[in-house]
Amino acid sequence: MKKSVLVMLGILVGVFLLFSLLDRNGEYGAEQLMWLTTHRLQEFSHDPKSVPDQAFDALEKNFEAIIKRDPQSELALQAYLSIGRIYLVKRSYGIARQKIEEGLNRYPQRPDFCALALSFIGRTYELEEDLPQALRIYKRLVNEYPQTPVGLEMPLYIGQIYEREGAQAKAQTTYSQAIDHYRQLADEHPDSDLEIRSLRMLANTYIGLQKWQEAVDTLGEVLIKSGPNQYLDSSQVNLILRSINTISIVELKNYTVPKKIYKEYIRRHPQDGLSRVIKELIKGLNVLEKNSVKIQDKKIP
Amino acid sequence: MTPERSAKNVIDLIRFSLNTLFQNPLIAYPFVIIAFIQLFVLEIFYFAPRYPLSIFFGPLIRTLYGEGYLHYPYNFILLPKMFQYAQIFIYIFISSFLIAVSVATIEYINNDKKVTFGMMVKKMLPQYVHICLASIFMFMAIFGFLKLYGLAYDRASLIQSTSGKFYLIKRLVMEGASYITVLIQILVTTIFAYVITLIAIEKRKVFSALWKNFRYLRTTFFFIFSMVLIPTLFYLPVLVLRDNMPILGNGMFPSLRGWVIVLSILVLTAIDSIIYTAVTSFYLLKQEHR
């Protein structure tokens, strides 16, 4: 019996060692190293001045090891950005940009990564309070990588920078350009994920400008066009529905606008599961509308 | 082998069961096999996102749960879930049978008969279907109680009070989920305490064993409940550890979740061995006194 217990232990240890060896060069090991190293970097970022340089160097070596393991993997791209983050934490912005530019030159065929890298470089200029350079980079990002997730957010972000700096006229111009940019992207890529993302950014721009009617109309367009195509996940759909309701009721004080959007959705997608939810929403809006009329009708003594 | 002192003392019976297990390791051997099988399955699931097992498990996990769970550290969120589902099958088709083998071994040793593990497995094989059916009934009972708890949970979530007895009830029901689940398992183990013993020793069919089990329980329910509860209390520290592990990204290594499951397996197997040895010893004592 003792022998069989030892055999069982041996099997457990043997299987563990065998599978660990078979996957020693696999992605899992790199993911583990990535997570642990990123975690340490986050800890260091709380008080970077108290962390010795050797500790940062060790992190950089780990990220370089990940890149060396498989230079074409997604992890390698993340590792480049993480190396940049090390120097960001150390406030060595010039070196951070240098490291990121190495990645930019190495992976010109990866637009999502290049957009993130440019966004990172722009951020370092912002931290150095060199806004002209930051804006130059962001505008380059919009021109070269307009369809990436980061590139899509940039036109709105540039307007927000101008607004933050008190340059209202430039901010308004930038917002108008952003509106045209998003509308053009949406029109050029119908029935696609890009169309939906562009329209969502357009809605966000209108919300930033407090153009409530346009915002609600655009959100309605997003909802109806995304429909059963599954461009949106359930949390995004919930957010859009809440936004439509809140803006319509609180800002526009109009219950007809959202009901019109929802009825159009049901008309276009009668069999969609969301239509059932939207029917309940319409009922809820009817009740709210009735109650709000009652409150308005009450005379104030 | 059976205890000489009165069987009314739960602590003495549990102490006696521990001594029995140490003096007769053959009784504990089936539980060692149960622990081995569970640990082996856990190991397979641990390596499921990695080559070469990812060839088989990868598409399955991707379809059922999403791509993210094939990567570190999110595979550790999925690991306990997958293991929990596997445990149901392991218990119904393997663990319950091995528990019956252990129970039969106790009876043989008590009657001073020669016994080997292989011999007891052969003797229990004709009862395999009844043992599996009994464990299915146990699981159905657990699910039933969990459903009831779910209803209580939903009702508690509607309580608006922020102080007083209703607030206390709300907190107890909503925050004590793990502990209430363990209590349900203790209750169900008690309710079905004698079933496997009756199938293994008296060679009864499942419905006959269930009927006699409930007859025995009529007069011994609280005694058996204490006998199941006391060893299970040793699982509480593991439960506290499991429930208070920080969520991913909050400072703890994600792989710690795997080690907590290993600890759970080892502790629960030890607890089960004590419980079933105690229940069987108590049953044999009652039979001797008849």
Side-chain angles (χ1 to χ4, degrees), chain A residues 266-297:
Chain A
I266 294 168
R267 191 187 71 77
R268 291 220 201 168
H269 314 293
Q271 302 305 320
D272 184 31
L274 184 58
S275 291
R276 278 195 298 275
V277 174
I278 284 176
K279 279 176 188 162
E280 294 302 315
L281 263 178
I282 294 174
K283 283 182 195 165
L285 283 167
N286 287 335
V287 168
L288 276 172
E289 187 174 16
K290 210 193 276 182
N291 288 340
S292 78
V293 166
K294 275 187 192 163
I295 289 167
Q296 282 168 19
D297 283 347

mmCIF file of all heavy atoms in Angstrom, chain A residues 266-297:
data_model
loop_
_atom_site.group_PDB
_atom_site.id
_atom_site.type_symbol
_atom_site.label_atom_id
_atom_site.label_comp_id
_atom_site.label_asym_id
_atom_site.label_seq_id
_atom_site.Cartn_x
_atom_site.Cartn_y
_atom_site.Cartn_z
ATOM 1 N N ILE A 266 -37.731 48.276 -32.747
ATOM 2 C CA ILE A 266 -38.629 47.106 -32.745
ATOM 3 C C ILE A 266 -39.141 46.837 -34.162
ATOM 4 O O ILE A 266 -39.250 45.683 -34.584
ATOM 5 C CB ILE A 266 -39.819 47.331 -31.765
ATOM 6 C CG1 ILE A 266 -39.295 47.392 -30.325
ATOM 7 C CG2 ILE A 266 -40.858 46.225 -31.898
ATOM 8 C CD1 ILE A 266 -40.294 47.885 -29.328
ATOM 9 N N ARG A 267 -39.397 47.915 -34.888
ATOM 10 C CA ARG A 267 -39.902 47.734 -36.262
ATOM 11 C C ARG A 267 -38.854 47.039 -37.126
ATOM 12 O O ARG A 267 -39.161 46.171 -37.929
ATOM 13 C CB ARG A 267 -40.256 49.100 -36.856
ATOM 14 C CG ARG A 267 -41.022 49.047 -38.164
ATOM 15 C CD ARG A 267 -41.187 50.449 -38.764
ATOM 16 N NE ARG A 267 -39.943 51.011 -39.284
ATOM 17 C CZ ARG A 267 -39.384 50.671 -40.447
ATOM 18 N NH1 ARG A 267 -39.958 49.776 -41.226
ATOM 19 N NH2 ARG A 267 -38.260 51.235 -40.844
ATOM 20 N N ARG A 268 -37.585 47.435 -36.924
ATOM 21 C CA ARG A 268 -36.530 46.868 -37.773
ATOM 22 C C ARG A 268 -36.071 45.487 -37.312
ATOM 23 O O ARG A 268 -35.633 44.676 -38.113
ATOM 24 C CB ARG A 268 -35.318 47.794 -37.755
ATOM 25 C CG ARG A 268 -35.582 49.084 -38.448
ATOM 26 C CD ARG A 268 -34.383 49.495 -39.235
ATOM 27 N NE ARG A 268 -34.423 50.919 -39.499
ATOM 28 C CZ ARG A 268 -33.404 51.603 -39.960
ATOM 29 N NH1 ARG A 268 -32.272 51.017 -40.201
ATOM 30 N NH2 ARG A 268 -33.522 52.883 -40.205
ATOM 31 N N HIS A 269 -36.125 45.245 -36.020
ATOM 32 C CA HIS A 269 -35.637 43.966 -35.471
ATOM 33 C C HIS A 269 -36.694 43.339 -34.575
ATOM 34 O O HIS A 269 -36.497 43.190 -33.370
ATOM 35 C CB HIS A 269 -34.346 44.184 -34.654
ATOM 36 C CG HIS A 269 -33.331 45.046 -35.327
ATOM 37 N ND1 HIS A 269 -32.659 44.662 -36.469
ATOM 38 C CD2 HIS A 269 -32.879 46.291 -35.036
ATOM 39 C CE1 HIS A 269 -31.827 45.627 -36.821
ATOM 40 N NE2 HIS A 269 -31.954 46.629 -35.982
ATOM 41 N N PRO A 270 -37.838 42.945 -35.138
ATOM 42 C CA PRO A 270 -38.935 42.470 -34.299
ATOM 43 C C PRO A 270 -38.630 41.172 -33.545
ATOM 44 O O PRO A 270 -39.160 40.923 -32.486
ATOM 45 C CB PRO A 270 -40.097 42.262 -35.283
ATOM 46 C CG PRO A 270 -39.451 42.150 -36.617
ATOM 47 C CD PRO A 270 -38.175 42.913 -36.569
ATOM 48 N N GLN A 271 -37.745 40.336 -34.132
ATOM 49 C CA GLN A 271 -37.480 39.035 -33.514
ATOM 50 C C GLN A 271 -36.275 39.068 -32.571
ATOM 51 O O GLN A 271 -35.958 38.091 -31.934
ATOM 52 C CB GLN A 271 -37.201 37.970 -34.609
ATOM 53 C CG GLN A 271 -38.324 37.799 -35.611
ATOM 54 C CD GLN A 271 -39.645 37.495 -34.931
ATOM 55 O OE1 GLN A 271 -39.704 36.745 -33.969
ATOM 56 N NE2 GLN A 271 -40.704 38.103 -35.424
ATOM 57 N N ASP A 272 -35.603 40.208 -32.514
ATOM 58 C CA ASP A 272 -34.395 40.309 -31.697
ATOM 59 C C ASP A 272 -34.764 40.249 -30.212
ATOM 60 O O ASP A 272 -35.784 40.803 -29.787
ATOM 61 C CB ASP A 272 -33.695 41.643 -32.026
ATOM 62 C CG ASP A 272 -32.381 41.758 -31.290
ATOM 63 O OD1 ASP A 272 -31.747 40.719 -31.053
ATOM 64 O OD2 ASP A 272 -31.999 42.886 -30.957
ATOM 65 N N GLY A 273 -33.917 39.598 -29.413
ATOM 66 C CA GLY A 273 -34.177 39.474 -27.973
ATOM 67 C C GLY A 273 -34.270 40.826 -27.297
ATOM 68 O O GLY A 273 -35.042 41.018 -26.351
ATOM 69 N N LEU A 274 -33.498 41.792 -27.777
ATOM 70 C CA LEU A 274 -33.485 43.126 -27.173
ATOM 71 C C LEU A 274 -34.841 43.826 -27.337
ATOM 72 O O LEU A 274 -35.221 44.664 -26.502
ATOM 73 C CB LEU A 274 -32.365 43.967 -27.804
ATOM 74 C CG LEU A 274 -32.133 45.354 -27.226
ATOM 75 C CD1 LEU A 274 -31.818 45.284 -25.726
ATOM 76 C CD2 LEU A 274 -31.004 46.060 -27.956
ATOM 77 N N SER A 275 -35.582 43.466 -28.397
ATOM 78 C CA SER A 275 -36.884 44.110 -28.625
ATOM 79 C C SER A 275 -37.819 43.916 -27.440
ATOM 80 O O SER A 275 -38.605 44.804 -27.092
ATOM 81 C CB SER A 275 -37.536 43.566 -29.899
ATOM 82 O OG SER A 275 -36.814 43.985 -31.017
ATOM 83 N N ARG A 276 -37.711 42.729 -26.810
ATOM 84 C CA ARG A 276 -38.583 42.457 -25.649
ATOM 85 C C ARG A 276 -38.254 43.424 -24.510
ATOM 86 O O ARG A 276 -39.138 43.962 -23.847
ATOM 87 C CB ARG A 276 -38.399 41.012 -25.173
ATOM 88 C CG ARG A 276 -39.185 39.999 -25.967
ATOM 89 C CD ARG A 276 -39.239 38.659 -25.230
ATOM 90 N NE ARG A 276 -37.917 38.089 -25.043
ATOM 91 C CZ ARG A 276 -37.288 37.338 -25.949
ATOM 92 N NH1 ARG A 276 -37.849 37.085 -27.105
ATOM 93 N NH2 ARG A 276 -36.089 36.849 -25.712
ATOM 94 N N VAL A 277 -36.950 43.629 -24.299
ATOM 95 C CA VAL A 277 -36.502 44.557 -23.235
ATOM 96 C C VAL A 277 -36.965 45.968 -23.558
ATOM 97 O O VAL A 277 -37.433 46.709 -22.690
ATOM 98 C CB VAL A 277 -34.951 44.505 -23.118
ATOM 99 C CG1 VAL A 277 -34.448 45.543 -22.156
ATOM 100 C CG2 VAL A 277 -34.495 43.113 -22.714
ATOM 101 N N ILE A 278 -36.837 46.333 -24.844
ATOM 102 C CA ILE A 278 -37.179 47.690 -25.251
ATOM 103 C C ILE A 278 -38.682 47.948 -25.104
ATOM 104 O O ILE A 278 -39.103 49.060 -24.757
ATOM 105 C CB ILE A 278 -36.675 47.929 -26.694
ATOM 106 C CG1 ILE A 278 -35.151 48.139 -26.632
ATOM 107 C CG2 ILE A 278 -37.348 49.112 -27.335
ATOM 108 C CD1 ILE A 278 -34.487 48.293 -27.970
ATOM 109 N N LYS A 279 -39.500 46.911 -25.329
ATOM 110 C CA LYS A 279 -40.958 47.081 -25.137
ATOM 111 C C LYS A 279 -41.254 47.451 -23.687
ATOM 112 O O LYS A 279 -42.096 48.315 -23.404
ATOM 113 C CB LYS A 279 -41.703 45.796 -25.511
ATOM 114 C CG LYS A 279 -41.916 45.637 -26.991
ATOM 115 C CD LYS A 279 -42.568 44.304 -27.350
ATOM 116 C CE LYS A 279 -42.564 44.141 -28.861
ATOM 117 N NZ LYS A 279 -42.772 42.781 -29.323
ATOM 118 N N GLU A 280 -40.534 46.793 -22.755
ATOM 119 C CA GLU A 280 -40.722 47.109 -21.330
ATOM 120 C C GLU A 280 -40.248 48.528 -21.031
ATOM 121 O O GLU A 280 -40.849 49.236 -20.214
ATOM 122 C CB GLU A 280 -39.928 46.116 -20.456
ATOM 123 C CG GLU A 280 -40.428 44.684 -20.523
ATOM 124 C CD GLU A 280 -41.886 44.565 -20.115
ATOM 125 O OE1 GLU A 280 -42.308 45.165 -19.097
ATOM 126 O OE2 GLU A 280 -42.642 43.878 -20.841
ATOM 127 N N LEU A 281 -39.161 48.938 -21.720
ATOM 128 C CA LEU A 281 -38.653 50.297 -21.535
ATOM 129 C C LEU A 281 -39.707 51.322 -21.954
ATOM 130 O O LEU A 281 -39.890 52.351 -21.295
ATOM 131 C CB LEU A 281 -37.397 50.505 -22.393
ATOM 132 C CG LEU A 281 -36.046 50.337 -21.709
ATOM 133 C CD1 LEU A 281 -34.932 50.525 -22.727
ATOM 134 C CD2 LEU A 281 -35.868 51.274 -20.542
ATOM 135 N N ILE A 282 -40.374 51.043 -23.063
ATOM 136 C CA ILE A 282 -41.403 51.975 -23.564
ATOM 137 C C ILE A 282 -42.534 52.094 -22.537
ATOM 138 O O ILE A 282 -43.021 53.197 -22.236
ATOM 139 C CB ILE A 282 -41.957 51.514 -24.935
ATOM 140 C CG1 ILE A 282 -40.843 51.612 -25.986
ATOM 141 C CG2 ILE A 282 -43.157 52.342 -25.350
ATOM 142 C CD1 ILE A 282 -41.213 51.042 -27.342
ATOM 143 N N LYS A 283 -42.907 50.937 -21.955
ATOM 144 C CA LYS A 283 -43.961 50.966 -20.921
ATOM 145 C C LYS A 283 -43.515 51.828 -19.749
ATOM 146 O O LYS A 283 -44.283 52.636 -19.217
ATOM 147 C CB LYS A 283 -44.249 49.547 -20.414
ATOM 148 C CG LYS A 283 -45.084 48.705 -21.343
ATOM 149 C CD LYS A 283 -45.345 47.333 -20.729
ATOM 150 C CE LYS A 283 -45.864 46.371 -21.786
ATOM 151 N NZ LYS A 283 -45.812 44.971 -21.355
ATOM 152 N N GLY A 284 -42.251 51.639 -19.347
ATOM 153 C CA GLY A 284 -41.715 52.420 -18.231
ATOM 154 C C GLY A 284 -41.713 53.901 -18.526
ATOM 155 O O GLY A 284 -42.048 54.729 -17.679
ATOM 156 N N LEU A 285 -41.368 54.243 -19.755
ATOM 157 C CA LEU A 285 -41.354 55.661 -20.148
ATOM 158 C C LEU A 285 -42.770 56.234 -20.122
ATOM 159 O O LEU A 285 -42.965 57.399 -19.729
ATOM 160 C CB LEU A 285 -40.753 55.805 -21.551
ATOM 161 C CG LEU A 285 -39.230 55.684 -21.621
ATOM 162 C CD1 LEU A 285 -38.768 55.526 -23.067
ATOM 163 C CD2 LEU A 285 -38.545 56.874 -20.977
ATOM 164 N N ASN A 286 -43.739 55.429 -20.540
ATOM 165 C CA ASN A 286 -45.137 55.890 -20.513
ATOM 166 C C ASN A 286 -45.577 56.216 -19.085
ATOM 167 O O ASN A 286 -46.227 57.237 -18.832
ATOM 168 C CB ASN A 286 -46.069 54.830 -21.109
ATOM 169 C CG ASN A 286 -45.937 54.749 -22.621
ATOM 170 O OD1 ASN A 286 -45.544 55.724 -23.269
ATOM 171 N ND2 ASN A 286 -46.253 53.596 -23.180
ATOM 172 N N VAL A 287 -45.185 55.352 -18.157
ATOM 173 C CA VAL A 287 -45.547 55.569 -16.740
ATOM 174 C C VAL A 287 -44.881 56.834 -16.218
ATOM 175 O O VAL A 287 -45.511 57.673 -15.565
ATOM 176 C CB VAL A 287 -45.131 54.344 -15.878
ATOM 177 C CG1 VAL A 287 -45.230 54.644 -14.394
ATOM 178 C CG2 VAL A 287 -45.956 53.122 -16.237
ATOM 179 N N LEU A 288 -43.581 56.983 -16.545
ATOM 180 C CA LEU A 288 -42.835 58.169 -16.093
ATOM 181 C C LEU A 288 -43.459 59.439 -16.657
ATOM 182 O O LEU A 288 -43.578 60.461 -15.969
ATOM 183 C CB LEU A 288 -41.375 58.084 -16.540
ATOM 184 C CG LEU A 288 -40.420 57.273 -15.658
ATOM 185 C CD1 LEU A 288 -39.075 57.138 -16.345
ATOM 186 C CD2 LEU A 288 -40.253 57.896 -14.287
ATOM 187 N N GLU A 289 -43.843 59.348 -17.925
ATOM 188 C CA GLU A 289 -44.419 60.530 -18.586
ATOM 189 C C GLU A 289 -45.721 60.929 -17.910
ATOM 190 O O GLU A 289 -45.970 62.099 -17.636
ATOM 191 C CB GLU A 289 -44.660 60.208 -20.067
ATOM 192 C CG GLU A 289 -45.086 61.434 -20.876
ATOM 193 C CD GLU A 289 -45.178 61.114 -22.360
ATOM 194 O OE1 GLU A 289 -45.221 59.919 -22.728
ATOM 195 O OE2 GLU A 289 -45.207 62.069 -23.146
ATOM 196 N N LYS A 290 -46.536 59.897 -17.598
ATOM 197 C CA LYS A 290 -47.819 60.167 -16.959
ATOM 198 C C LYS A 290 -47.600 60.820 -15.598
ATOM 199 O O LYS A 290 -48.249 61.805 -15.242
ATOM 200 C CB LYS A 290 -48.573 58.836 -16.768
ATOM 201 C CG LYS A 290 -50.093 58.979 -16.813
ATOM 202 C CD LYS A 290 -50.792 57.746 -16.329
ATOM 203 C CE LYS A 290 -50.952 56.713 -17.397
ATOM 204 N NZ LYS A 290 -51.677 55.507 -16.929
ATOM 205 N N ASN A 291 -46.667 60.289 -14.833
ATOM 206 C CA ASN A 291 -46.394 60.819 -13.491
ATOM 207 C C ASN A 291 -45.818 62.219 -13.559
ATOM 208 O O ASN A 291 -46.137 63.073 -12.728
ATOM 209 C CB ASN A 291 -45.416 59.903 -12.729
ATOM 210 C CG ASN A 291 -46.075 58.612 -12.309
ATOM 211 O OD1 ASN A 291 -47.297 58.533 -12.245
ATOM 212 N ND2 ASN A 291 -45.283 57.590 -12.049
ATOM 213 N N SER A 292 -44.988 62.478 -14.550
ATOM 214 C CA SER A 292 -44.381 63.816 -14.629
ATOM 215 C C SER A 292 -45.441 64.840 -15.013
ATOM 216 O O SER A 292 -45.426 65.974 -14.566
ATOM 217 C CB SER A 292 -43.230 63.834 -15.622
ATOM 218 O OG SER A 292 -43.706 63.892 -16.931
ATOM 219 N N VAL A 293 -46.432 64.441 -15.840
ATOM 220 C CA VAL A 293 -47.537 65.345 -16.198
ATOM 221 C C VAL A 293 -48.339 65.664 -14.959
ATOM 222 O O VAL A 293 -48.717 66.803 -14.707
ATOM 223 C CB VAL A 293 -48.427 64.708 -17.289
ATOM 224 C CG1 VAL A 293 -49.746 65.465 -17.430
ATOM 225 C CG2 VAL A 293 -47.699 64.679 -18.601
ATOM 226 N N LYS A 294 -48.578 64.647 -14.099
ATOM 227 C CA LYS A 294 -49.354 64.841 -12.856
ATOM 228 C C LYS A 294 -48.650 65.860 -11.981
ATOM 229 O O LYS A 294 -49.276 66.718 -11.388
ATOM 230 C CB LYS A 294 -49.460 63.511 -12.092
ATOM 231 C CG LYS A 294 -50.582 62.621 -12.546
ATOM 232 C CD LYS A 294 -50.698 61.425 -11.621
ATOM 233 C CE LYS A 294 -51.621 60.398 -12.226
ATOM 234 N NZ LYS A 294 -51.463 59.099 -11.604
ATOM 235 N N ILE A 295 -47.301 65.749 -11.881
ATOM 236 C CA ILE A 295 -46.543 66.663 -11.012
ATOM 237 C C ILE A 295 -46.662 68.076 -11.560
ATOM 238 O O ILE A 295 -46.841 69.040 -10.821
ATOM 239 C CB ILE A 295 -45.060 66.226 -10.923
ATOM 240 C CG1 ILE A 295 -44.957 64.934 -10.110
ATOM 241 C CG2 ILE A 295 -44.212 67.307 -10.273
ATOM 242 C CD1 ILE A 295 -43.626 64.240 -10.215
ATOM 243 N N GLN A 296 -46.573 68.201 -12.885
ATOM 244 C CA GLN A 296 -46.661 69.542 -13.486
ATOM 245 C C GLN A 296 -48.026 70.157 -13.267
ATOM 246 O O GLN A 296 -48.172 71.364 -13.100
ATOM 247 C CB GLN A 296 -46.384 69.460 -14.993
ATOM 248 C CG GLN A 296 -44.908 69.337 -15.319
ATOM 249 C CD GLN A 296 -44.688 68.977 -16.758
ATOM 250 O OE1 GLN A 296 -45.571 69.149 -17.595
ATOM 251 N NE2 GLN A 296 -43.519 68.494 -17.072
ATOM 252 N N ASP A 297 -49.084 69.278 -13.260
ATOM 253 C CA ASP A 297 -50.442 69.772 -13.129
ATOM 254 C C ASP A 297 -50.768 70.211 -11.702
ATOM 255 O O ASP A 297 -51.735 70.927 -11.475
ATOM 256 C CB ASP A 297 -51.454 68.691 -13.573
ATOM 257 C CG ASP A 297 -51.495 68.608 -15.098
ATOM 258 O OD1 ASP A 297 -50.956 69.503 -15.725
ATOM 259 O OD2 ASP A 297 -52.066 67.625 -15.619
#
